[in-house]
Amino acid sequence: MNHNLIGRLFTGSMARLSESMDLLARMADEMQISSLEAAEMAEAANDDLNDAYRPFTQATADAGLTTPSAPIHNQS
């Protein structure tokens, strides 16, 4: 890199900036992995919820209703 800035202060600042950018890049990679895992867990939870609630949804449709009752109302 060619520039007209020289000196200990500038060189130290550039070294700290480089270290900070390396840390930022590593954190971004970790966050990318964590975000993907969180998205997959959210999708699985959504699928589980839909599977659990499907009988109520089907019963609602079979009864000709548009809004299902709360699950607690269907428990004996």
Side-chain angles (χ1 to χ4, degrees), residues 12-72:
S13 296
M14 289 303 292
R16 284 190 299 280
L17 176 61
S18 177
E19 291 170 3
S20 295
M21 296 309 295
D22 288 341
L23 176 62
L24 181 63
R26 284 194 309 273
M27 291 175 68
D29 289 340
E30 291 173 12
M31 289 172 56
Q32 180 182 17
I33 293 166
S34 296
S35 295
L36 178 59
E37 290 171 352
E40 289 172 345
M41 290 181 355
E43 185 177 358
N46 181 57
D47 291 345
D48 290 345
L49 181 62
N50 286 334
D51 289 344
Y53 206 61
R54 188 170 291 115
F56 300 110
T57 305
Q58 188 60 50
T60 300
D62 292 346
L65 303 172
T66 58
T67 305
S69 62
I72 194 73

